[in-house]
Amino acid sequence: MIYKLQRIARDVRVAIDENKTSEQLIADEDIDTLSLEDIVRSKIVEAVRRVVTEAPTHLLDGGEPFGDAIFWRSQCSGWTLLPEDFMRLVIFKMSDWERPVYEPITAADPQYQLQFSRYKGLRGNPQKPVVAIVSRAEGRALELFSCKSQNATVEQAVYIPLPKVDCDGGINIPERCYMSVVYEAASLVLATIGNALSSTMSELSKQLLI
């Protein structure tokens, strides 16, 4: 859902019980003086990134499709390039898999090396598939392990892009994550001005994701 920065900033100010949007937080003679409104707005994108990265899958909505091309290799495994603005995987499923994957592993995960084992039972398979996000010469990619044959196609592939403010001053936030974003932004603002309540706001944000 798209939320206007003006609304988010208002809710953040309410969360920290501060409505004086023009109150300056640095001495008047400082040419780099910022108003509270400016600080709040500057923290919104980072707050969205932090919350959406950590939120349980069931709290997410929307997302963008990817996986137009699969590049195959041995043992019916393959890979597909990730979009440049990729932030988080929502779901990935090949047409011959019995279930989708929601949580990818990385190349540092001990399970990753098992995907290249000569023993079929140790590798991902259509009954228990595995996907890994890795870096390749071509860019970041999602590797899939594995399919019954190379005739399989992408059935579901959705990701959450990096948050950004659109030309109308709005930003996309999963509806069920909104208040968590508000409190996380409040935490970042309070940390910036050296207020000890920052950790309390951050904890409230995390509790709303449970």
Side-chain angles (χ1 to χ4, degrees):
M1 182 173 177
I2 302 298
Y3 293 88
K4 296 292 187 181
L5 292 190
Q6 183 178 8
R7 172 186 170 177
I8 302 170
R10 180 198 65 200
D11 291 342
V12 171
R13 292 196 308 270
V14 170
I16 60 178
D17 195 27
E18 174 56 79
N19 294 302
K20 298 178 182 178
T21 61
S22 63
E23 180 179 345
Q24 292 184 335
L25 303 173
I26 308 175
D28 288 338
E29 61 271 16
D30 192 329
I31 61 173
D32 294 322
T33 293
L34 293 176
S35 70
L36 181 59
E37 178 77 5
D38 294 329
I39 295 176
V40 170
R41 287 174 177 258
S42 73
K43 302 302 180 182
I44 291 174
V45 171
E46 175 63 14
V48 174
R49 187 193 67 79
R50 291 188 181 193
V51 169
V52 175
T53 297
E54 298 297 328
T57 303
H58 70 272
L59 295 182
L60 303 178
D61 52 43
E64 302 290 335
F66 73 101
D68 292 335
I70 296 294
F71 301 92
W72 294 101
R73 56 190 181 196
S74 62
Q75 300 172 338
C76 291
S77 64
W79 57 275
T80 183
L81 282 174
L82 292 171
E84 290 185 2
D85 64 349
F86 179 92
M87 182 175 74
R88 177 175 176 175
L89 179 70
V90 177
I91 188 172
F92 188 86
K93 183 179 184 296
M94 296 298 289
S95 58
D96 63 358
W97 287 0
E98 294 185 8
R99 63 182 188 181
V101 176
Y102 302 98
E103 297 292 340
I105 62 174
T106 68
D109 193 307
Q111 190 180 0
Y112 181 71
Q113 296 303 321
L114 296 179
Q115 306 311 311
F116 303 94
S117 171
R118 69 178 71 179
Y119 303 108
K120 185 176 181 180
L122 296 178
R123 305 192 301 266
N125 54 65
Q127 292 73 43
K128 192 176 181 181
V130 174
V131 301
I133 293 178
V134 301
S135 295
R136 298 178 58 91
E138 301 87 349
R140 280 205 302 170
L142 183 140
E143 295 182 338
L144 56 105
F145 308 93
S146 54
C147 295
K148 295 178 182 178
S149 75
Q150 295 186 3
N151 293 323
T153 57
V154 176
E155 185 174 292
Q156 292 176 287
V158 179
Y159 78 102
I160 299 291
L162 289 166
K164 64 179 181 180
V165 179
D166 63 29
C167 58
D168 294 321
I171 188 169
N172 193 12
I173 304 173
E175 187 173 1
R176 287 173 288 185
C177 294
Y178 178 73
M179 287 309 300
S180 181
V181 168
V182 167
Y183 282 110
E184 186 62 29
S187 172
L188 293 171
V189 170
L190 292 171
T192 298
I193 64 177
N195 192 304
L197 286 176
S198 173
S199 58
T200 300
M201 290 293 183
S202 181
E203 186 59 33
L204 286 171
S205 175
K206 292 180 173 60
Q207 290 177 6
L208 289 172
L209 296 178
I210 297 176

